[in-house]
Amino acid sequence: MADLDDLVTAVLATSKYQHISPDLVRRLGAAELGKRPRLKEAVKATKNKLHQIGGAYFTASIDYEAALAQIADGRRRGPEAEKEALAAVMRRHASTNERLPVLAEFYAATLAGLPPIHSVLDVACGLNPLARPWMPLAEDAVYLAYDIYADMMAFLNDYFALAGVPGRAAVRDVAAAPPTETVGLALLLKTLPVLAQEDKTAVPRLLDTLQARYLLVSFPAQSLGGRQKGMVANYEAQFDQWVAGRNWQVKRFEFASELAFLVEKNF
Ligand SMILES: C[S@@+](CC[C@H](N)C(=O)[O-])C[C@H]1O[C@@H](n2cnc3c(N)ncnc32)[C@H](O)[C@@H]1O
């Protein structure tokens, strides 16, 4: 136990992980200590894991105060300038950056034909809540967002306040504590493979727990290093396994950088 406390303290002391969820560090750290009892090696293995599941997506560290000022300035200059400012910030996280070339088409196509959506849950959201202006949701839609970085969640709350988006962002390890709020739509964008890397039981548990009428699930069509042969087919097969036995209606969409499925749950 002393070792686990020391491991958590050591990881949180690094500038890269100072804002990350302590609960997540504790969960992953305990698993790493179970595999290799030496503290130093377990700290290193935990940091590697955190890099794979979160740290690797940052193209550079983000100055959130400057980013918010940039968005506020865009808003003053009008809706197009605001969208440009939002896109510039989304470029800083690899996951939203990859989606930018198809962003308008991505949400227009996948969410077309849905009844008005009044609440959204963005699970392991990254900077995707900044794409709210591209999403065809009801004007008053409440936006709930979870990820593992406290500074990123504080920034998203500041953005919601600035843009008048009702909702909140909060730190949550969604693999250990799947969200339970009832919503119209849950976004699981490029999230399931990351959670499966953390814990093999996380995805079925999350899918069983989510209380959403519709799910938009996606997978990367390229790795962080570039497009890879067979990736789409592999993720599709994996998704089919997760869907098996569930009474779901599924529509498939393929974009240059992302494979997406809109799921309607039949309760
Ligand atoms: C591939 S990115 C996807 C980000 C966003 N959904 C998007 O598509 O732009 C994976 C995200 O999962 C987050 N993440 C990883 N493990 C998590 C966990 N246990 N709970 C919540 N978020 C997690 C990471 O911080 C990262 O933002």
Side-chain angles (χ1 to χ4, degrees), residues 70 82-93 100 130:
Q70 191 178 357
E82 180 182 5
K83 278 185 162 179
E84 274 170 35
L86 290 166
V89 180
M90 284 191 273
R91 227 164 255 135
R92 316 293 288 278
H93 194 266
L100 281 181
L130 299 184

Side-chain angles (χ1 to χ4, degrees), residues 20-21 24 27-28 49-50 52-55 57-58 90 93-99 106-107 122-129 146-149 152-153 170-177 187-195 198 202 218 220 224 258:
I20 208 161
S21 156
L24 175 75
R27 180 168 67 80
L28 299 181
K49 194 80 183 182
L50 291 172
Q52 274 172 30
I53 63 156
Y57 294 99
F58 293 93
M90 284 191 273
H93 194 266
S95 199
T96 34
N97 182 39
E98 283 164 10
R99 192 176 299 118
F106 181 86
Y107 283 115
D122 196 341
V123 181
C125 59
L127 290 176
N128 184 61
Y146 291 118
D147 206 293
I148 50 181
Y149 291 96
M152 181 189 262
M153 296 304 100
V171 172
R172 186 170 183 130
D173 173 356
V174 300
L187 302 177
L188 294 163
L189 303 184
K190 295 190 275 186
T191 290
L192 300 186
V194 174
L195 299 181
E198 293 170 29
S218 79
L224 284 176
E258 202 159 343

Side-chain angles (χ1 to χ4, degrees), residues 124-259:
C125 59
L127 290 176
N128 184 61
L130 299 184
R132 172 65 186 89
W134 284 264
M135 299 177 196
L137 309 173
E139 185 90 6
D140 64 350
V142 173
Y143 205 113
L144 304 173
Y146 291 118
D147 206 293
I148 50 181
Y149 291 96
D151 53 348
M152 181 189 262
M153 296 304 100
F155 163 69
L156 291 175
N157 280 319
D158 289 344
Y159 165 66
F160 289 161
L162 176 76
V165 175
R168 69 187 152 79
V171 172
R172 186 170 183 130
D173 173 356
V174 300
T180 54
E181 295 92 344
T182 299
V183 291
L185 172 70
L187 302 177
L188 294 163
L189 303 184
K190 295 190 275 186
T191 290
L192 300 186
V194 174
L195 299 181
Q197 259 182 299
E198 293 170 29
D199 171 355
K200 290 215 163 30
T201 63
V203 173
R205 188 167 52 247
L206 178 67
L207 296 179
D208 287 343
T209 308
L210 287 177
Q211 300 295 315
R213 174 77 193 277
Y214 294 94
L215 306 176
L216 181 59
V217 181
S218 79
F219 297 88
Q222 57 193 32
S223 71
L224 284 176
R227 199 167 173 103
Q228 273 173 8
K229 224 173 143 213
M231 220 168 143
V232 165
N234 288 343
Y235 280 134
E236 188 151 13
Q238 169 82 86
F239 180 66
D240 287 347
Q241 281 181 10
W242 282 324
V243 170
R246 297 177 191 275
N247 187 17
W248 284 359
Q249 278 172 268
V250 179
K251 272 196 229 165
R252 180 190 190 277
F253 302 85
E254 195 172 339
F255 302 91
S257 55
E258 202 159 343
L259 172 70

